[in-house]
Amino acid sequence: MEPGTILLFVAAALASLFMAWVIGAGSSGATPFAPAVGANAISTMKAAFLVGILGFAGAVTQGASVSEAVGSGLVEGIALPVGGIIVVLLIGAGLMAIGIYTGYPIATAFTVTGSVIGVGLALGGDPAWEKYVEIGAVWVLTPFVGGGIAYGLASILPRPDVPEDASVPLLAGIVGTVVANLEFSFLSSVGGTLATAGATLVPADGLATTTAISLGFGAIAAAAVRWDIGRDQVGGLRRFLLALGSLVAFSAGASQVGLAVGPLFPLLEELPSVSPLAVLLGGGLGILVGSWTSAPRMIKSISQEYASLGPRRSISTLVPSFLIAQTAVLLGVPVSFNEIIVSAIVGSGLAVTGGDGVSPRKLGLTVAAWVGSFGLAFGLGYGSMFLLEL
């Protein structure tokens, strides 16, 4: 390989690391624990530390599906050259950095997806309409589904006729059942999930066994939360909230790492000595460092400026956030954690305080930033490649 080509590959890797750092400092580093910080369940600095560790773990164990989609599923007919990949990553990271500096959570998924499509189409690629419909459906439905579920949960949890020693453990049981069915790369040899791995240890085989093990996970989670709330209601709610924040942070790493390293995946065909796992490790490390060094600013912005959060409302926010995030990982769709969390915060806020607990101005500017970031990233990507080819 010629020295000039090697330098381009190194530049692309550095741009990817910078993008991972920005993601850790912004969306995946700030949003998962923002509700818990708002509920005073954990300090801002401790949240940044934990989200870095958990985001790294999610990136390594679940990050491949979204990475592959971003790398080769957004434009058909071509593979992005090294120069195009560098442009994509610099545009995405640059817009994200602006969001971090100003305190407005720019959607990473919007900027990277827009820039990849813009660069790819400028180079003569064909639109991947089927994938665009799938991505668009997730992006459009997320505020309604996440906000709707959060609204419903926030309406139920404070009611006196729905005791919390029953409602909250039920939520824990649902979350535990979902966790049992998450796909992990290190479990691929035994079906990919904790439930299928457990089924290999049981003489009986089939769907019934896997279902029983999944429900068993849920029952254990529900029983543990019920016991904890029974002995200390306030402390139990906060500990459950922290557990949810941890799961969302893990899911954030799994989804968001693909936005940083996904564009590099097509290059691996020319570098057979570099494995996808090594790329995911690098991306996870970048997210970890970003979370530790710069996430506190965004955590504070989301937890204190968007709404007044309490433990119950925060639980209502994080349950749908976790479910939507893992659905996106399963589908291999790049999704914005800013959109997920903010939508859920707004939904729970409307249930608890009507419009008083949400800042309309802040929310309006954030939505405008989301929409504008996709269009701007697309335009910059397309225009950059057009100029480079002149």
Side-chain angles (χ1 to χ4, degrees):
M1 188 177 293
E2 296 180 359
T5 304
I6 294 175
L7 287 176
L8 283 175
F9 275 98
V10 171
L14 291 176
S16 177
L17 282 174
F18 176 59
M19 183 68 185
W21 179 89
V22 172
I23 289 173
S27 59
S28 78
T31 51
F33 273 101
V37 173
N40 296 318
I42 189 173
S43 69
T44 300
M45 296 308 296
K46 287 182 179 179
F49 176 79
L50 286 177
V51 80
I53 297 293
L54 295 165
F56 175 82
V60 175
T61 60
Q62 280 195 309
S65 63
V66 175
S67 298
E68 292 170 358
V70 173
S72 58
L74 297 178
V75 180
E76 298 178 348
I78 65 166
L80 296 186
V82 181
I85 291 171
I86 295 173
V87 169
V88 165
L89 293 170
L90 290 180
I91 290 173
L95 293 176
M96 279 293 298
I98 292 173
I100 294 171
Y101 179 77
T102 59
Y104 288 96
I106 300 297
T108 318
F110 294 176
T111 59
V112 174
T113 302
S115 59
V116 168
I117 295 174
V119 168
L121 296 183
L123 292 174
D126 298 319
W129 292 115
E130 185 176 345
K131 193 65 176 180
Y132 299 163
V133 170
E134 188 178 56
I135 293 173
V138 172
W139 288 1
V140 171
L141 290 175
T142 288
F144 299 100
V145 175
I149 294 175
Y151 181 92
L153 293 178
S155 301
I156 292 173
L157 290 183
R159 288 172 51 177
D161 58 335
V162 183
E164 288 181 333
D165 60 353
S167 60
V168 176
L170 177 61
L171 289 176
I174 294 172
V175 171
T177 302
V178 172
V179 169
N181 289 277
L182 301 183
E183 293 188 356
F184 300 100
S185 58
F186 62 90
L187 293 176
S188 58
S189 62
V190 288
T193 70
L194 295 173
T196 55
T200 61
L201 304 176
V202 180
D205 194 10
L207 179 60
T209 302
T210 303
T211 302
I213 292 175
S214 300
L215 294 175
F217 270 90
I220 293 172
V225 171
R226 181 182 176 87
W227 171 81
D228 197 21
I229 290 179
R231 69 185 183 88
D232 177 10
Q233 185 183 60
V234 175
L237 288 174
R238 288 183 174 177
R239 283 184 284 274
F240 179 51
L241 176 59
L242 289 176
L244 288 174
S246 298
L247 289 172
V248 173
F250 179 88
S251 303
S255 173
Q256 302 294 282
V257 72
L259 301 172
V261 305
L264 296 180
F265 268 46
L267 301 181
L268 299 183
E269 297 180 3
E270 302 180 39
L271 295 172
S273 60
V274 179
S275 70
L277 178 59
V279 175
L280 289 173
L281 282 169
L285 182 61
I287 290 175
L288 183 149
V289 174
S291 298
W292 283 359
T293 57
S294 298
R297 175 184 172 86
M298 289 297 291
I299 292 175
K300 182 179 179 181
S301 173
I302 295 175
S303 65
Q304 296 182 8
E305 296 180 27
Y306 277 92
S308 302
L309 302 175
R312 294 165 184 81
R313 184 173 163 190
S314 297
I315 290 172
S316 303
T317 297
L318 289 180
V319 169
S321 299
F322 167 66
L323 297 177
I324 292 173
Q326 282 297 331
T327 299
V329 171
L330 179 65
L331 295 174
V333 172
V335 65
S336 166
F337 262 78
N338 289 323
E339 183 188 18
I340 292 173
I341 293 287
V342 171
S343 300
I345 287 175
V346 171
S348 63
L350 292 175
V352 175
T353 62
D356 296 335
V358 178
S359 168
R361 178 180 178 277
K362 182 77 171 182
L363 181 60
L365 289 173
T366 298
V367 173
W370 289 344
V371 176
S373 63
F374 177 82
L376 180 59
F378 175 86
L380 289 173
Y382 192 96
S384 297
M385 298 313 299
F386 179 78
L387 291 175
L388 289 175
E389 290 191 339
L390 289 179

